[in-house]
Amino acid sequence: MTLTATPHLNFRGNARAALAFYQAAFDGALTLVSYQDAGQPHPAEEANHVMWGQVATPGGLRVMAFDAPASLPWHAGENAYYVTVGSNTTADIAASWDKMQDGATILQALAPAPWSPLYGMLKDRFGVTWVFSVAGAA
């Protein structure tokens, strides 16, 4: 099995600045996609907010982040992170997803997405939000 876990930090409008800081601190590569870049409908004041961002180092450190839209609850220290589980295979993600569903609330069903062959989100029975994603474009 080839699964990895990545901290996914949630911000309200300052994910870009946070990721730039992490990039400088860890000397990693920065990738940013705004809601506008991804063609996701959002109010004009949120169009350039980060829908998906990541700092990745050659040594394997990864930190992901996004700007939670105003339509989602968010307060510093509350709903401040997700745990992202990634793999190169749909089989690994599907198998882990199936096991994690026990007692969970499905936030986004596991299905293909424009940025991933398989993507889903759930809140486990302990209140932790997990994101499952297969690397690569759908």
Side-chain angles (χ1 to χ4, degrees), residues 8 19 31-35 49-54 64-67 115:
H8 187 288
L19 286 165
T31 305
L32 294 171
V33 177
S34 71
Y35 288 99
H49 285 189
V50 175
M51 183 189 93
W52 183 84
Q54 175 177 271
M64 296 173 68
F66 94 124
D67 286 310
W115 58 89

Coordinates of all heavy atoms in Angstrom, one line a residue, residues 8 19 31-35 49-54 64-67 115:
H8 N -3.4 19.5 6.2 CA -4.2 20.4 5.3 C -4.7 21.5 6.2 O -5.7 21.3 6.9 CB -5.3 19.6 4.5 CG -6.0 20.4 3.5 ND1 -6.8 21.5 3.8 CD2 -5.9 20.3 2.2 CE1 -7.3 22.0 2.6 NE2 -6.7 21.3 1.7
L19 N 1.2 30.0 3.0 CA 2.0 29.1 2.2 C 3.3 29.7 1.7 O 4.3 29.0 1.6 CB 1.1 28.6 1.0 CG 0.1 27.6 1.4 CD1 -0.9 27.4 0.2 CD2 0.7 26.2 1.8
T31 N 2.8 25.6 -4.9 CA 1.8 25.5 -5.9 C 0.5 26.1 -5.4 O 0.1 25.8 -4.3 CB 1.5 24.0 -6.3 OG1 2.8 23.4 -6.7 CG2 0.6 23.9 -7.5
L32 N -0.1 27.0 -6.2 CA -1.3 27.7 -5.8 C -2.4 27.6 -6.9 O -2.0 27.8 -8.0 CB -1.1 29.1 -5.4 CG -0.2 29.5 -4.2 CD1 0.1 31.0 -4.2 CD2 -0.9 29.0 -3.0
V33 N -3.6 27.3 -6.5 CA -4.7 27.4 -7.4 C -5.8 28.1 -6.8 O -6.3 27.8 -5.7 CB -5.3 25.9 -7.8 CG1 -6.5 26.0 -8.7 CG2 -4.1 25.1 -8.4
S34 N -6.3 29.2 -7.4 CA -7.4 30.0 -6.8 C -8.7 29.4 -7.2 O -8.8 28.6 -8.1 CB -7.3 31.5 -7.3 OG -7.6 31.6 -8.6
Y35 N -9.8 29.9 -6.6 CA -11.1 29.4 -7.0 C -11.4 29.9 -8.4 O -11.9 29.1 -9.2 CB -12.2 30.0 -6.0 CG -12.2 29.4 -4.7 CD1 -11.5 30.0 -3.6 CD2 -12.8 28.1 -4.5 CE1 -11.5 29.4 -2.3 CE2 -12.8 27.5 -3.2 CZ -12.1 28.2 -2.2 OH -12.1 27.5 -0.9
H49 N -8.9 33.8 -3.7 CA -8.5 33.1 -2.6 C -8.0 31.7 -3.0 O -8.4 31.2 -4.1 CB -9.7 32.9 -1.6 CG -10.0 34.1 -0.8 ND1 -10.8 34.2 0.3 CD2 -9.5 35.4 -0.9 CE1 -10.9 35.4 0.8 NE2 -10.1 36.2 0.1
V50 N -7.2 31.0 -2.2 CA -6.6 29.8 -2.5 C -7.7 28.6 -2.3 O -8.2 28.4 -1.2 CB -5.4 29.5 -1.7 CG1 -4.8 28.1 -1.9 CG2 -4.3 30.6 -1.9
M51 N -8.0 27.9 -3.4 CA -8.8 26.7 -3.4 C -7.9 25.5 -3.0 O -8.4 24.6 -2.3 CB -9.5 26.5 -4.7 CG -10.4 25.3 -4.7 SD -11.1 24.9 -6.3 CE -9.9 23.6 -6.7
W52 N -6.7 25.5 -3.5 CA -5.8 24.4 -3.3 C -4.4 25.0 -3.3 O -4.0 25.7 -4.3 CB -5.9 23.3 -4.3 CG -5.1 22.1 -4.0 CD1 -5.3 21.1 -3.2 CD2 -3.8 21.9 -4.6 NE1 -4.3 20.2 -3.2 CE2 -3.3 20.7 -4.0 CE3 -2.9 22.6 -5.4 CZ2 -2.0 20.2 -4.3 CZ3 -1.7 22.0 -5.8 CH2 -1.3 20.8 -5.2
G53 N -3.6 24.7 -2.3 CA -2.2 25.1 -2.3 C -1.4 24.1 -1.6 O -1.8 23.4 -0.7
Q54 N -0.1 24.1 -2.0 CA 0.8 23.1 -1.4 C 2.2 23.6 -1.4 O 2.6 24.3 -2.4 CB 0.7 21.8 -2.1 CG 1.7 20.7 -1.7 CD 1.6 19.4 -2.4 OE1 0.8 18.6 -2.0 NE2 2.3 19.3 -3.5
M64 N -0.4 21.3 2.9 CA -1.4 21.8 2.0 C -2.3 22.9 2.8 O -2.4 22.8 4.0 CB -2.3 20.7 1.6 CG -1.6 19.6 0.7 SD -2.6 18.2 0.3 CE -3.8 18.9 -0.8
A65 N -2.9 23.7 2.0 CA -3.8 24.7 2.7 C -4.8 25.3 1.7 O -4.6 25.1 0.4 CB -2.9 25.9 3.2
F66 N -5.9 25.8 2.2 CA -6.8 26.5 1.4 C -7.5 27.6 2.2 O -7.4 27.7 3.4 CB -7.8 25.6 0.8 CG -9.1 25.3 1.5 CD1 -10.3 25.5 0.8 CD2 -9.2 24.9 2.8 CE1 -11.5 25.3 1.5 CE2 -10.3 24.7 3.5 CZ -11.6 24.9 2.8
D67 N -8.2 28.5 1.5 CA -9.0 29.5 2.2 C -10.5 29.0 2.2 O -11.1 28.9 1.2 CB -9.0 30.8 1.4 CG -7.7 31.6 1.6 OD1 -7.3 31.7 2.7 OD2 -7.1 32.0 0.5
W115 N -9.5 17.7 -10.7 CA -8.0 17.7 -10.3 C -7.5 16.3 -9.8 O -6.4 16.2 -9.5 CB -7.8 18.7 -9.2 CG -8.6 18.4 -8.0 CD1 -8.3 17.6 -6.9 CD2 -9.9 18.9 -7.7 NE1 -9.3 17.6 -6.0 CE2 -10.3 18.4 -6.4 CE3 -10.8 19.8 -8.3 CZ2 -11.5 18.7 -5.9 CZ3 -12.0 20.1 -7.8 CH2 -12.4 19.6 -6.5

